[in-house]
């Protein structure tokens, strides 16, 4: 059968279509196979991920059937996963000891049913029976694509490791809370104010000490009110300072003053940033420390000032052997310059500087010598050495190690002390030799009555043997020996009383004792500055005999002087009677009662009258002098105005001044006042001084009479510019005598003027003083009350 072309075409088309369809089918099948393989791989991967995941799914259907991986059965301690939820207790399957407890299973069943009804999620924790595993169950309504019909999907987590960690964290949290509570209690009980600020600088926490310091009600009130403990200092408040510390992440410490309890106290305030949480701070009251510091500084300054006043040098070194202090004597002894103290050297360097200045002893091996001295720092006891320097200086060095590792060095210059010791030894030997050479007997007694020193004369005068005195006997034993040699042994007690008065009572007494051999000893006790007493003994036997002879001679001389005084008084009276008659008759002749006289006769009468007047004055002088020496001079008591009185005396000598060709100047003080005395005799005394000045002043010279009043006394000065006198001539002038030209005898100098003037002035309670220098003139100074 032959097919038409059309049929063939159709058949070809059908075959082609079938082929295409078969190819497409094959391709689609392959695509579905690949997708299925991919889904299987994805499912296996998801299953593996579920097996490896920390949470396992438990799908609970509405009829109570469950689906879960075998791993969940292992967690629950079951051999296999049961079919129903109620079988998770394990008892109905194998009767083993796994599964959930009845209580936990009932709780899980109720939670699943509630989720299936209300779609409310739940959480619970359970521990399988006989296991330490901790499981967490978190359930919710399953997605319809997972299981339609209201199944519940429960995820089971094994948090056994997390549970142990949680237990550990709970323990640590409990301990942390306990520590925090203790820390809070400690902060609350702290005596210092403490606080915490937030990142903004506001107060958040304060302790009770802070509340008390700011006188707040409680911590909350103080924090809410932002009451600051520290005032604004240099324009910065406490909050601003805390913010600066927080911004810089650095602690800030400062010293400020605050008022606490009504008193200004010094505080050391510290702020510490605590990361980003805020700033903590506290304040320490250092007022007492500051006060102690000030007291210690004052004590240290006073101690150093006191050490500067010592004659010994003192230096202090710290534990690093560095010089920390050296007083002025130490610097002087070791020739330390001020520049050295600006950078205090260590001990070894100080020895080098002293060596360069020649202030340490010469040493053959100086480094070894220096190391030995550096070992003083570790010595257990004070070290002492004597240093002899090259210039002859002797130093005593004492090193005192200190408990802190430092050391104090004391340097004492004993050069002068050693020299004085040598001088003292010499003086002691000289004293001993001097004692033994004295004419007097001397002995020194201590306050306890023991004899310390004596000379050989003492032993000879009292008849003591050297062996007995060498025992330094006490005064009681010595008095027994002395009493045996006295004419009256009881007089020995007087010697003991003299010694006791000198040593104990510190007063000087004396007495006399007659020995049995007839000698007379005079003794005296003298207190010495060192507390001892000196007993001096002198043999006055010969001097007593000479004294008796002198007394007898003196009595004879006094009787002769009294006879002379009586003779002069009598002779003065006898001379005055005829002299008065001569003067009277001469005055009558001068008046013309005897007839007219020639010019020459009148001159003779004038010479007679002048001689009578001068002789009358001399007789009055002799009489006044003799009465004054005998203490029998009568003085009239009358008021005398000094300035008119002195002026009259100067005017009366005007003619004598003109004849001598000299000048007399008078200077008077009206404030000199007046005095009570004998006008005639006082005028004679001062007149004699003016007359002597006129006689001693050469032609063309000058005399000054000056009257002044001072300190309740009147002073009269009569001075001239004559030749003056030396001291020996001046002394004799007051006695009214002068050495004769041949130098072998003495004679009266210008009558009795100066002697009488002194007697009359002293009789008025005044004083006369002569001042003179050869070539400088003479001044007579009279002081009257």
């Amino acid at each position: 059968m032959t097919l038409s072309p059309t049929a063939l075409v159709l058949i070809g088309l059908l075959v082609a279509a079938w082929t295409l369809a078969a190819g497409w089918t094959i391709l689609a099948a392959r695509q579905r196979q690949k997708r299925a393989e991919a889904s299987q791989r994805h499912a296996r991967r998801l299953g593996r991920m579920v097996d490896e995941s920390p949470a396992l799914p438990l799908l609970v259907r509405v009829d109570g059937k469950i689906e879960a991986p075998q791993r969940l059965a292992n967690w629950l301690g079951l051999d296999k996963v049961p079919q129903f939820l109620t079988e998770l207790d394990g008892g109905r399957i194998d009767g083993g000891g796994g599964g959930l407890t009845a209580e936990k299973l009932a709780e899980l069943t109720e939670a699943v049913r509630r989720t299936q009804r209300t779609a409310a999620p739940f959480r619970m924790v359970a521990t399988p029976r006989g296991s330490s595993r901790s499981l967490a169950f978190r359930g919710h309504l399953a997605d319809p694509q997972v299981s339609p019909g209201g199944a519940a999907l429960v995820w089971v987590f094994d948090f056994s490791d997390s549970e142990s960690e949680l237990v550990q964290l709970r323990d640590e949290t409990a301990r942390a809370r306990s520590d925090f509570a203790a820390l809070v209690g400690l902060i609350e009980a702290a005596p210092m104010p403490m606080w915490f600020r937030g990142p903004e600088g506001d107060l958040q926490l304060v302790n009770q000490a802070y509340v008390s310091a700011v006188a707040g009600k409680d911590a909350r009130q103080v924090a809410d009110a932002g009451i600051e403990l520290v005032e604004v200092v240099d324009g910065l408040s406490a909050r601003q300072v805390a913010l600066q510390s927080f911004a810089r992440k650095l602690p800030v410490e400062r010293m400020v003053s605050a008022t606490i309890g009504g008193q200004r106290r010094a505080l050391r305030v510290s702020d510490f940033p605590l990361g980003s949480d805020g700033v903590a701070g506290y304040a320490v009251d250092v007022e007492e420390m500051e006060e102690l510091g000030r007291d210690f500084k004052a004590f240290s300054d006073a101690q150093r000032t006191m050490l500067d006043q010592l004659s010994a040098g003192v230096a202090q070194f710290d534990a690093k052997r560095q010089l920390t202090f050296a007083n002025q004597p130490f610097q002087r002894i070791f020739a330390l310059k001020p520049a050295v103290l600006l950078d205090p050297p260590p001990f070894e360097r100080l020895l080098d500087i002293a060596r360069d200045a020649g202030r340490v002893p010469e040493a053959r091996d100086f480094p070894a010598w220096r190391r030995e001295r550096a070992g003083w720092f570790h010595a257990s006891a004070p070290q002492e050495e004597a240093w002899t320097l090259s210039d002859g200086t002797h130093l005593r060095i004492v090193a005192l190690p200190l408990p802190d590792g430092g050391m104090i060095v004391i340097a004492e210059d004993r050069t002068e002390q050693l020299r004085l010791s040598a001088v003292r030894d010499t003086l002691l030997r000289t004293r001993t030799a001097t004692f033994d050479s004295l004419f007097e007997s001397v002995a020194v007694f201590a306050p306890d009555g023991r004899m310390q020193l004596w000379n050989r004369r003492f032993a000879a005068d009292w008849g003591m043997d050297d062996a007995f005195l060498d025992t330094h006997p006490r005064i009681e034993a010595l008095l027994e020996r002395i009493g045996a040699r006295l004419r009256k042994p009881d007089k020995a007690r007087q010697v003991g009383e003299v010694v006791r008065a000198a040593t104990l009572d510190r007063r000087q007494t004396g007495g006399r004792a007659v020995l049995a051999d007839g000698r007379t000893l005079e003794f005296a006790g003298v207190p010495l500055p060192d507390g001892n007493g000196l007993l001096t003994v002198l043999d006055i036997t010969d001097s007593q005999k000479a004294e008796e002879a002198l007394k007898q001679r003196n009595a004879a001389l006094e009787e002769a002087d009294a006879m002379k005084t009586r003779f002069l008084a009598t002779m003065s009276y006898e001379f005055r009677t005829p002299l008065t008659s001569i003067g009277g008759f001469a005055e009558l002749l001068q008046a013309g009662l005897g007839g007219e006289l020639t010019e020459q006769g009148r001159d003779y009468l004038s010479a007679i009258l002048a001689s009578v007047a001068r002789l009358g004055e001399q007789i009055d002088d002799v009489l006044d002098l003799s009465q004054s020496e005998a203490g029998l001079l009568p003085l009239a008591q009358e008021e005398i105005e000094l300035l008119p009185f002195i002026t009259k005396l100067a005017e009366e000598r005007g003619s004598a001044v003109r004849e001598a060709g000299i000048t007399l100047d008078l200077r008077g003080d009206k404030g000199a006042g007046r005095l009570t005395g004998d006008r005639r005799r006082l005028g004679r005394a001062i007149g004699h001084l003016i007359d002597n000045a006129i006689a001693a002043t050469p032609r063309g010279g000058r005399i000054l009479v000056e009257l002044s009043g001072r300190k309740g006394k009147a002073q009269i000065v009569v001075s001239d510019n004559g030749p003056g006198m030396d001291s020996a001539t001046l002394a004799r002038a007051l006695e009214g005598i002068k050495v004769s030209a041949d130098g072998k005898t003495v004679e009266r100098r210008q009558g009795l003027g100066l002697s009488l003037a002194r007697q009359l002035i002293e009789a008025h309670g005044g004083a006369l003083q002569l001042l003179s220098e050869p070539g400088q003139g003479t001044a007579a100074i009279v002081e009257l009350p």
Side-chain angles (χ1 to χ4, degrees):
M1 168 178 180
T2 304
L3 296 175
S4 63
T6 304
L8 292 174
V9 170
L10 291 172
I11 292 172
L13 290 171
L14 289 171
V15 171
W18 183 84
T19 302
L20 290 172
W24 181 85
T25 301
I26 293 171
L27 291 176
R30 288 183 177 178
Q31 289 293 333
R32 284 194 296 273
Q33 183 181 4
K34 289 182 179 179
R35 284 196 295 270
E37 291 177 353
S39 295
Q40 289 178 358
R41 288 194 300 270
H42 182 66
R44 286 195 299 269
R45 186 166 62 251
L46 289 177
R48 189 64 181 172
M49 291 176 62
V50 169
D51 290 340
E52 297 294 332
S53 69
L56 299 179
L58 172 64
L59 184 63
V60 182
R61 301 182 185 277
V62 177
D63 56 1
K65 290 186 177 181
I66 62 174
E67 297 180 13
Q70 179 61 34
R71 188 178 172 197
L72 178 60
N74 297 335
W75 283 5
L76 294 175
L78 303 175
D79 294 335
K80 61 180 182 179
V81 177
Q83 291 184 356
F84 294 95
L85 179 64
T86 57
E87 297 176 351
L88 288 180
D89 59 357
R92 299 180 180 180
I93 298 178
D94 51 10
L100 300 177
T101 60
E103 294 80 4
K104 287 295 181 182
L105 181 58
E107 181 182 354
L108 177 61
T109 302
E110 178 64 25
V112 169
R113 290 176 180 175
R114 186 170 57 252
T115 298
Q116 290 174 344
R117 291 194 304 268
T118 63
F122 69 89
R123 292 185 178 187
M124 64 171 290
V125 177
T127 300
R129 190 184 293 113
S131 174
S132 61
R133 191 184 299 273
S134 298
L135 301 178
F137 295 83
R138 296 182 182 180
H140 57 83
L141 191 64
D143 191 280
Q145 294 182 1
V146 175
S147 177
L153 180 62
V154 180
W155 290 95
V156 182
F157 297 87
D158 183 359
F159 66 99
S160 300
D161 296 336
S162 299
E163 178 68 14
S164 61
E165 292 178 359
L166 286 175
V167 171
Q168 182 179 358
L169 288 176
R170 289 191 188 99
D171 294 339
E172 292 178 355
T173 302
R175 287 195 299 269
R177 287 177 178 173
S178 176
D179 294 343
F180 180 75
L183 180 61
V184 171
L186 179 63
I187 293 175
E188 277 296 311
M192 66 185 72
M194 304 180 73
W195 61 88
F196 174 76
R197 299 178 185 272
E200 301 300 325
D202 298 326
L203 287 173
Q204 294 185 358
L205 296 173
V206 295
N207 67 346
Q208 187 59 38
Y210 189 104
V211 175
S212 300
V214 298
K217 181 178 180 181
D218 53 37
R220 178 52 53 193
Q221 181 263 336
V222 171
D224 293 343
I227 302 176
E228 296 290 351
L229 173 67
V230 180
E231 306 160 358
V232 176
V233 179
D234 296 332
L236 294 176
S237 65
R239 179 176 178 274
Q240 291 173 325
V241 174
L243 289 176
Q244 290 180 357
S245 174
F246 182 76
R248 298 174 184 174
K249 303 300 180 183
L250 294 173
V252 175
E253 183 175 297
R254 55 185 180 142
M255 295 293 297
V256 298
S257 295
T259 302
I260 299 177
Q263 295 181 349
R264 296 293 290 177
R265 311 289 293 182
L267 303 178
R268 185 173 68 244
V269 179
S270 301
D271 289 293
F272 296 92
L274 302 179
S276 60
D277 296 330
V279 180
Y282 66 88
V284 179
D285 189 343
V286 294
E287 180 65 27
E288 295 182 359
M289 295 175 59
E290 289 290 313
E291 185 67 25
L292 288 175
R294 290 190 292 268
D295 293 343
F296 178 77
K297 184 177 183 303
F299 173 76
S300 179
D301 293 341
Q303 186 182 44
R304 295 191 173 189
T305 302
M306 178 191 69
L307 291 177
D308 279 335
Q309 304 303 318
L310 297 178
S311 60
V314 180
Q316 186 172 358
F317 298 86
D318 58 17
K320 298 180 180 179
R321 303 184 181 181
Q322 200 80 14
L323 178 66
T324 58
F325 171 73
N327 67 350
Q328 294 295 330
F330 189 91
Q331 301 175 33
R332 182 175 61 256
I333 290 173
F334 289 96
L336 299 180
K337 297 180 180 179
V340 174
L341 300 180
L342 296 178
D343 184 14
F347 180 72
E348 292 84 351
R349 175 59 183 157
L350 180 65
L351 292 179
D352 292 337
I353 296 173
R355 184 194 184 196
D356 295 339
R359 307 309 296 171
V360 296
E362 294 293 337
R364 179 176 299 177
D365 188 355
F366 181 75
W369 182 88
R370 183 180 56 194
R371 284 194 298 272
E372 291 178 2
R373 303 309 172 275
W376 287 348
F377 282 88
H378 306 294
S380 58
Q383 305 294 313
E384 182 174 344
E385 286 188 354
W387 291 3
T388 302
L389 308 185
S390 57
D391 60 355
T393 302
H394 296 270
L395 299 180
R396 174 175 173 262
I397 306 296
V398 178
L400 303 174
L402 300 178
D404 62 355
M407 183 173 64
I408 293 178
V409 177
I410 302 174
E412 180 183 3
D413 189 346
R414 304 187 64 187
T415 307
E416 186 67 16
Q417 182 178 353
L418 293 177
R419 188 188 68 81
L420 291 176
S421 179
V423 172
R424 175 179 174 274
D425 293 340
T426 302
L427 290 176
L428 288 176
R429 291 192 294 269
T430 303
R431 183 190 65 181
T432 301
T434 303
F435 273 18
D436 289 338
S437 302
L438 290 177
F439 180 74
E440 294 176 313
S441 302
V442 293
V444 178
F445 291 86
D448 61 355
R450 186 175 298 278
M451 179 183 284
Q452 302 291 330
L453 298 171
W454 65 93
N455 63 352
R456 285 179 288 187
R457 183 78 181 185
F458 184 87
D461 283 347
W462 294 108
M464 303 287 178
D465 57 274
D466 293 338
F468 171 70
L469 296 179
D470 288 339
T471 62
H472 295 275
R474 299 179 66 88
I475 186 64
E476 293 82 3
L478 189 66
L479 293 179
E480 292 181 3
R481 299 287 185 100
I482 291 176
R485 290 167 175 79
L486 296 179
R487 180 177 296 175
K488 295 180 179 181
D490 292 343
K491 293 289 290 183
R493 286 183 300 178
Q494 187 178 3
V495 178
E497 293 173 358
V498 168
V499 173
R500 279 190 289 271
T503 55
L504 300 180
D505 299 339
R506 312 299 298 161
R507 56 188 178 87
Q508 182 174 343
T509 57
R512 289 185 180 182
V514 180
L515 300 181
D517 58 7
R519 290 182 296 133
T520 302
L521 301 181
E522 186 176 45
F523 52 88
V526 180
L528 298 179
D530 59 356
N532 294 331
L534 175 68
L535 177 64
T536 62
V537 183
L538 181 63
D539 188 345
I540 61 170
T541 305
D542 295 336
S543 61
Q544 199 171 23
K545 295 178 180 178
E547 181 183 358
E548 188 64 28
L550 289 175
K551 286 182 179 179
Q552 295 176 1
R553 185 174 180 183
N554 184 60
L557 290 175
E558 290 179 354
E559 180 63 24
D561 186 64
M563 292 177 61
K564 180 198 71 172
T565 302
R566 290 193 297 271
F567 172 75
L568 288 176
T570 303
M571 292 302 296
S572 298
Y573 178 77
E574 295 296 334
F575 285 156
R576 184 181 299 276
T577 301
L579 189 61
T580 303
S581 300
I582 295 173
F585 287 126
E587 289 176 356
L588 291 176
L589 290 175
Q590 190 177 31
L593 296 178
E596 186 68 25
L597 299 176
T598 63
E599 185 67 27
Q600 188 175 9
R602 283 194 295 273
D603 291 339
Y604 290 158
L605 284 176
S606 297
I608 292 172
L609 290 175
S611 297
V612 168
R614 186 164 54 253
L615 184 57
E617 291 179 358
Q618 293 293 334
I619 292 173
D620 289 340
D621 289 346
V622 171
L623 185 59
D624 288 346
L625 183 60
S626 61
Q627 289 179 332
S628 178
E629 291 176 347
L632 302 175
L633 181 64
L635 293 177
Q637 299 296 320
E638 51 186 321
E639 291 290 333
I640 303 174
E641 287 286 347
L642 286 175
L643 183 58
F645 176 68
I646 299 300
T647 303
K648 181 179 179 182
L649 292 176
E651 291 175 349
E652 288 177 350
R653 285 153 179 80
S655 59
V657 170
R658 289 190 294 272
E659 290 178 1
I662 59 177
T663 304
L664 189 149
D665 295 336
L666 175 62
R667 295 178 185 175
D669 183 5
K670 293 182 179 180
R674 64 181 67 186
L675 57 83
T676 302
D678 192 321
R679 180 186 298 272
R680 181 177 65 83
R681 288 190 170 91
L682 191 58
R684 185 185 302 165
I686 299 174
H688 281 315
L689 297 178
I690 300 175
D691 293 339
N692 284 343
I694 294 173
T697 304
R699 183 172 293 276
R702 180 173 176 269
I703 298 174
L704 174 64
V705 179
E706 184 176 5
L707 170 65
S708 61
R710 61 179 65 181
K711 296 181 181 180
K713 293 184 179 181
Q715 187 180 74
I716 303 168
V717 180
V718 180
S719 61
D720 61 68
N721 58 356
M725 296 175 285
D726 57 22
S727 58
T729 305
L730 184 63
R732 289 190 294 268
L734 282 172
E735 301 298 330
I737 58 176
K738 67 175 183 177
V739 180
S740 61
D742 57 7
K744 296 180 180 181
T745 60
V746 295
E747 59 186 15
R748 287 291 175 179
R749 184 180 186 273
Q750 299 180 5
L752 301 175
L754 288 177
S755 295
L756 182 61
R758 184 179 66 176
Q759 293 284 352
L760 294 177
I761 291 171
E762 292 178 353
H764 283 79
L768 171 63
Q769 182 182 10
L770 286 183
L771 302 177
S772 183
E773 289 288 340
Q776 300 297 324
T778 303
I781 303 174
V782 178
E783 287 189 351
L784 294 170

Coordinates of all heavy atoms in Angstrom, one line a residue, residues 458-493:
F458 N 101.5 75.2 155.6 CA 100.4 74.8 156.4 C 100.8 73.6 157.4 O 100.5 73.7 158.6 CB 99.2 74.3 155.6 CG 97.9 74.0 156.3 CD1 97.0 75.0 156.6 CD2 97.7 72.7 156.7 CE1 95.9 74.7 157.3 CE2 96.5 72.4 157.4 CZ 95.6 73.4 157.7
A459 N 101.5 72.7 156.8 CA 101.9 71.5 157.7 C 102.9 72.0 158.7 O 102.9 71.6 159.9 CB 102.6 70.5 156.8
A460 N 103.8 73.0 158.4 CA 104.8 73.5 159.4 C 104.1 74.3 160.5 O 104.5 74.2 161.6 CB 105.8 74.3 158.6
D461 N 103.2 75.2 160.1 CA 102.5 76.0 161.1 C 101.7 75.2 162.1 O 101.7 75.5 163.3 CB 101.6 77.1 160.4 CG 102.4 78.2 159.8 OD1 103.6 78.3 160.1 OD2 101.9 79.0 159.0
W462 N 101.0 74.2 161.7 CA 100.2 73.4 162.6 C 100.9 72.2 163.1 O 100.3 71.4 163.9 CB 98.9 73.0 161.9 CG 98.0 74.1 161.6 CD1 97.7 74.6 160.3 CD2 97.2 74.9 162.5 NE1 96.8 75.6 160.4 CE2 96.5 75.8 161.7 CE3 97.0 74.9 163.9 CZ2 95.6 76.8 162.3 CZ3 96.2 75.8 164.4 CH2 95.5 76.7 163.7
G463 N 102.1 72.0 162.7 CA 102.9 70.8 163.1 C 102.3 69.5 162.7 O 102.3 68.5 163.4
M464 N 101.9 69.4 161.4 CA 101.3 68.2 160.8 C 102.4 67.5 160.0 O 103.2 68.1 159.4 CB 100.1 68.5 159.9 CG 99.0 69.3 160.6 SD 98.1 68.3 161.7 CE 96.9 69.5 162.3
D465 N 102.3 66.1 160.0 CA 103.2 65.3 159.2 C 102.6 65.1 157.9 O 101.4 65.0 157.7 CB 103.6 64.0 159.9 CG 102.4 63.2 160.2 OD1 101.8 63.4 161.3 OD2 102.0 62.4 159.4
D466 N 103.4 65.0 156.8 CA 102.9 64.8 155.5 C 102.2 63.5 155.3 O 101.2 63.5 154.5 CB 104.1 64.8 154.5 CG 104.8 66.2 154.4 OD1 104.1 67.2 154.8 OD2 106.0 66.3 154.0
A467 N 102.5 62.4 156.0 CA 101.8 61.2 155.8 C 100.3 61.3 156.2 O 99.4 60.8 155.6 CB 102.5 60.1 156.7
F468 N 100.1 62.1 157.3 CA 98.7 62.3 157.7 C 97.9 63.1 156.7 O 96.8 62.8 156.3 CB 98.7 63.0 159.1 CG 97.3 63.4 159.5 CD1 96.3 62.5 159.8 CD2 97.0 64.8 159.6 CE1 95.1 62.9 160.2 CE2 95.8 65.2 160.0 CZ 94.8 64.2 160.3
L469 N 98.6 64.2 156.2 CA 97.9 65.1 155.2 C 97.7 64.4 153.9 O 96.7 64.7 153.1 CB 98.7 66.4 155.0 CG 98.8 67.3 156.3 CD1 99.7 68.5 155.9 CD2 97.4 67.7 156.8
D470 N 98.5 63.5 153.5 CA 98.4 62.8 152.2 C 97.1 61.9 152.2 O 96.7 61.5 151.1 CB 99.6 61.9 151.9 CG 100.8 62.7 151.6 OD1 100.6 63.9 151.2 OD2 101.9 62.2 151.7
T471 N 96.5 61.6 153.3 CA 95.3 60.9 153.4 C 94.0 61.7 153.1 O 92.9 61.2 153.1 CB 95.1 60.2 154.7 OG1 95.0 61.2 155.8 CG2 96.3 59.3 155.0
H472 N 94.3 63.0 152.9 CA 93.2 64.0 152.7 C 92.2 63.9 153.8 O 91.0 63.5 153.5 CB 92.5 63.8 151.3 CG 93.4 64.0 150.1 ND1 93.6 65.3 149.6 CD2 94.2 63.2 149.4 CE1 94.5 65.2 148.6 NE2 94.9 63.9 148.5
P473 N 92.5 64.2 155.0 CA 91.6 64.0 156.1 C 90.4 64.9 156.1 O 90.5 66.0 155.5 CB 92.5 64.3 157.3 CG 93.5 65.2 156.8 CD 93.8 64.8 155.4
R474 N 89.4 64.5 156.8 CA 88.2 65.4 156.9 C 88.5 66.4 158.0 O 89.5 66.2 158.8 CB 87.0 64.6 157.3 CG 86.6 63.6 156.1 CD 85.4 62.8 156.5 NE 84.2 63.6 156.6 CZ 83.4 63.9 155.6 NH1 83.7 63.4 154.4 NH2 82.3 64.7 155.8
I475 N 87.7 67.4 158.1 CA 87.9 68.5 159.1 C 87.9 68.0 160.5 O 88.6 68.5 161.4 CB 86.9 69.7 158.8 CG1 87.3 70.9 159.7 CG2 85.5 69.2 159.0 CD1 88.6 71.5 159.3
E476 N 87.1 67.0 160.8 CA 87.0 66.5 162.2 C 88.3 65.9 162.6 O 88.8 66.2 163.7 CB 85.9 65.5 162.3 CG 84.5 66.0 162.1 CD 84.1 66.1 160.6 OE1 85.0 65.7 159.8 OE2 83.0 66.6 160.3
A477 N 88.9 65.1 161.8 CA 90.2 64.5 162.2 C 91.3 65.5 162.2 O 92.2 65.5 163.1 CB 90.6 63.4 161.1
L478 N 91.2 66.5 161.3 CA 92.2 67.6 161.4 C 92.1 68.4 162.6 O 93.1 68.8 163.2 CB 92.1 68.5 160.1 CG 93.1 69.5 159.9 CD1 94.5 68.8 159.6 CD2 92.8 70.4 158.7
L479 N 90.9 68.7 163.1 CA 90.7 69.5 164.3 C 91.2 68.8 165.5 O 91.7 69.5 166.5 CB 89.2 69.9 164.5 CG 88.6 70.8 163.4 CD1 87.1 71.0 163.7 CD2 89.4 72.1 163.4
E480 N 91.2 67.5 165.6 CA 91.7 66.8 166.7 C 93.2 67.0 166.8 O 93.8 67.2 167.9 CB 91.4 65.3 166.5 CG 90.0 64.9 166.7 CD 89.7 63.4 166.6 OE1 90.7 62.7 166.4 OE2 88.6 63.0 166.6
R481 N 93.9 67.0 165.6 CA 95.4 67.3 165.6 C 95.7 68.7 166.0 O 96.6 69.0 166.7 CB 96.0 66.9 164.2 CG 95.8 65.5 163.8 CD 96.8 64.6 164.6 NE 96.7 63.2 164.1 CZ 97.6 62.7 163.3 NH1 98.6 63.5 162.9 NH2 97.5 61.4 162.9
I482 N 94.8 69.6 165.5 CA 95.1 71.1 165.8 C 94.8 71.4 167.3 O 95.6 72.1 167.9 CB 94.2 71.9 164.9 CG1 94.6 71.8 163.4 CG2 94.2 73.4 165.3 CD1 93.7 72.6 162.5
G483 N 93.7 70.8 167.8 CA 93.4 71.1 169.2 C 94.5 70.6 170.2 O 94.8 71.3 171.2
A484 N 95.3 69.6 169.8 CA 96.3 69.1 170.7 C 97.5 70.1 170.7 O 98.4 70.0 171.6 CB 96.8 67.7 170.2
R485 N 97.6 71.0 169.8 CA 98.7 71.9 169.7 C 98.3 73.4 170.1 O 99.1 74.3 170.1 CB 99.3 72.0 168.3 CG 100.0 70.7 167.9 CD 100.2 70.6 166.4 NE 101.0 69.4 166.1 CZ 100.6 68.2 166.0 NH1 99.3 68.0 166.3 NH2 101.4 67.1 165.7
L486 N 97.1 73.6 170.6 CA 96.6 74.9 171.0 C 96.8 75.0 172.5 O 96.7 74.1 173.3 CB 95.2 75.1 170.6 CG 94.9 75.2 169.1 CD1 93.4 75.4 168.8 CD2 95.7 76.3 168.4
R487 N 97.0 76.3 172.9 CA 97.0 76.6 174.4 C 95.6 76.3 175.0 O 95.5 75.8 176.1 CB 97.4 78.0 174.6 CG 97.5 78.4 176.1 CD 98.0 79.8 176.2 NE 99.3 80.0 175.7 CZ 100.0 81.2 175.6 NH1 99.4 82.3 176.0 NH2 101.2 81.2 175.2
K488 N 94.6 76.6 174.2 CA 93.2 76.3 174.6 C 92.6 75.4 173.6 O 92.2 75.8 172.5 CB 92.4 77.6 174.8 CG 92.8 78.5 175.9 CD 91.9 79.7 175.9 CE 92.4 80.7 177.1 NZ 91.5 81.8 177.2
P489 N 92.6 74.1 173.8 CA 92.1 73.1 172.8 C 90.7 73.4 172.2 O 90.4 73.1 171.1 CB 92.2 71.8 173.5 CG 93.2 71.9 174.6 CD 93.1 73.4 175.0
D490 N 89.9 74.1 173.1 CA 88.5 74.4 172.6 C 88.5 75.3 171.4 O 87.5 75.4 170.7 CB 87.7 75.0 173.7 CG 87.4 74.0 174.8 OD1 87.6 72.7 174.5 OD2 87.1 74.4 175.9
K491 N 89.6 76.1 171.2 CA 89.7 77.1 170.1 C 89.7 76.3 168.7 O 89.5 77.0 167.7 CB 90.9 77.9 170.2 CG 90.9 78.9 171.4 CD 89.8 80.0 171.2 CE 90.3 81.0 170.1 NZ 89.4 82.1 170.0
A492 N 89.9 75.0 168.8 CA 90.0 74.3 167.5 C 88.6 74.3 166.8 O 88.5 74.2 165.6 CB 90.4 72.8 167.7
R493 N 87.5 74.4 167.7 CA 86.2 74.4 167.1 C 86.0 75.6 166.2 O 85.2 75.6 165.3 CB 85.1 74.3 168.2 CG 85.0 72.9 168.8 CD 83.9 72.9 169.9 NE 84.2 73.8 171.0 CZ 83.4 74.1 172.0 NH1 82.3 73.4 172.1 NH2 83.7 74.9 173.0

